[in-house]
Every structure is written in C-alpha cells, then in structure tokens.
Amino acid sequence: MRHFLTLLDITPEEARHILARATELKTMQKTGIPHRTLAGKTLAMIFDKASTRTRVSFETGMYQLGGHALFLHSGSTQLGRGEPIEDSARVISSMVDGVMIRTFAQENIQQFAKYSSVPVINGLTDLTHPCQILTDVFTYQEHRGDIAGKTVAWIGDGNNMAHSWINGAVSFGYKLNIACPEGYCPDEKMLAAAHALNAEIVLADNPLAAARNADLVTTDVWASMGQEDEQATREKAFAGFQVNADVMAEAKPDALFMHCLPAHRGEEVAAEVMDGPQSVVWDEAENRLHAQKALLEFLLK
Ligand code: CP
Ligand code: NVA
C-alpha cells in the first residue's frame, strides 16, 4: 500500500509513468472511450479548507473511473468535534478504498496515513500540494515536451506550491530559480533535502533575475488559506514581486506562465499575463482531472 503525501513518495520513474497514463486517460475522456478501471471503489475526500479544483477534479475523476467519491467537510464530521485523527483514520479507511485530505498541518495527514488501511492522498497542506505539481509538470510537457533540463522561475511566496516546485526539481530534473521577499523564503529543510538529492535550485536576488531565460514562470497568491489576516502586511512585503510583462520579458520568448489558481489579478500576477498568450492556466486547471485520475489508478487499483 502506498500513500501520496508529498511528490517524493513516488519515484521519478513512477511519476513519469503516471503522467504518461494521464495522457492516455485524457485522450480516452475526450474521445468518449469508457475507462471504468476503478469500478466499485470509493474515495473519501476530507476538506478542512475551501476548494474548487481539487474537489471537482477528484469527485469527477472517481465517477469517470467507475467509482464514487464522498465529500466530507471536516466541520460536519466527528473529526471537527475532536474525534482523534487515528480513530477517524481507522474507521473511515475500513469502509473506503482511498482517502484524499486537504488540511493545515502536514503532520495531520502523516498521522492519518499511519493509521489508515488504504492509500492517503495529500490534497494540499500548508507544506505541500503534490497533486498540483504533478499536474503542472504534465501541463508543461503537453505544451513543450520534456521538462528535464528546462528552467522554471518561481516568484513570490515560499509557500506550499514553492515547496512542491522544489520537490519537482528532484523528481523531474528541471532547474528552479526562486525569488521571494526577505522573510518569505521556502522552508530551509526542504531546500536542503532537495539539494542533497542533486536538485539544481537557486535563490535569485529579484524577480527579474529569477525569470531570466526561464522556460516557465509561475507564482501563487501572497496570502494562502489560513493567512487571510496577514493580507495587508503581505501586500506590502510582496510589492515588486508581481509577475507582469516586465518579468515575462526576461524569460524566453516561448516561456509559459502557470498559476495553480485561484489567482488575484493585480497582486501576484498582472491581468495582462494571466489572460495573455503565454498563460496556460486553464489547461493547468483542467489537467488536475486527468493527472489525478492516473494517480488514483496508480494508488487504488
Ligand atoms: N489549485 C487548487 O488546488 O485549487 P482549489 O483550491 O480550488 O482546489
Ligand atoms: N498557496 C495556496 C494554494 C491554493 C491552491 C493556498 O494554500 O491557499
């Protein structure tokens, strides 16, 4: 039994295999070929935070694979009333074939996984968002081919998505340039772990330097879920870290722009970039469905 709590829970070969399968599943879905490979299986989806893409993609994905998904808002379960994670994990996993969790602390999903008898998938924590990085690499490769050896620029907060891009540099072999305001850099332990695994990751002095000659420029909100009360402070700290036309002009002419969404136009990304010709954010959002269906097959079949 395997869990997917960070991207590094699967090998680079497994990740490549999952993305290849995602391409097949996407073609089958688009051409109306049935692919009920998880018929009779159930996925429980536990949400401690809001979601549009993650919920819709997992729920629809399970249906298309012939299975069923169960939406559990933690506030309306006994988890929300303090039933211990280990007890909940034992009980929920005794009835379903997989569990997807979106929560705050990474330790909470680790604890759940420890007591779960079925695979657990990280649907976002404060630390990482592994389903999104799998999808983002899938999307890049659909548009531009192999991402190995390419340069990715991360501009903005050293948050769960930045950490996922760091793990992705290990698994997929791209070079990663990171530009973050002082005090908002990625977790040093995650950076050190990626460096120890030979990832090529550079902390750049500023967004323009990070974007120079990049093949892909990406960013995320300045205040993540759970940080809403820091919005004003963060807006000040992140001034100058917007991905706008000047930043994109430093990247290669055929560079792509990605954002996991939801986006705040006028904050981390200028509308001209988000809605411009280099942006592939809508493909990226749709691809959550296809990449996660391949992941579900890999873990649940
Ligand atoms: N990108 C992403 O995970 O979106 P949701 O928060 O809408 O699920
Ligand atoms: N960093 C964002 C990602 C949302 C998909 C957050 O955690 O809110």
Side-chain angles (χ1 to χ4, degrees), residues 78-136:
Q78 300 291 4
L79 262 171
R81 293 182 60 251
E83 183 170 12
I85 291 176
E86 44 272 42
D87 295 1
S88 304
R90 286 188 183 103
V91 172
I92 295 169
S93 70
S94 73
M95 294 184 239
V96 301
D97 302 284
V99 181
M100 186 241 82
I101 307 177
R102 167 168 286 196
T103 187
F104 293 88
Q106 182 80 11
E107 292 72 27
N108 288 351
I109 55 164
Q110 285 165 348
Q111 181 77 348
F112 195 105
K114 193 171 161 193
Y115 292 92
S116 170
S117 56
V118 299
V120 175
I121 300 171
N122 178 353
L124 180 146
T125 63
D126 292 345
L127 192 72
T128 57
H129 195 2
C131 294
Q132 186 72 52
I133 187 64
L134 208 53
T135 303
D136 292 358

Side-chain angles (χ1 to χ4, degrees), residues 124 129 159-160 220-221 224-225 260-261:
L124 180 146
H129 195 2
N159 64 10
N160 44 11
D220 187 15
V221 290
S224 284
M225 289 182 274
C260 65
L261 307 181

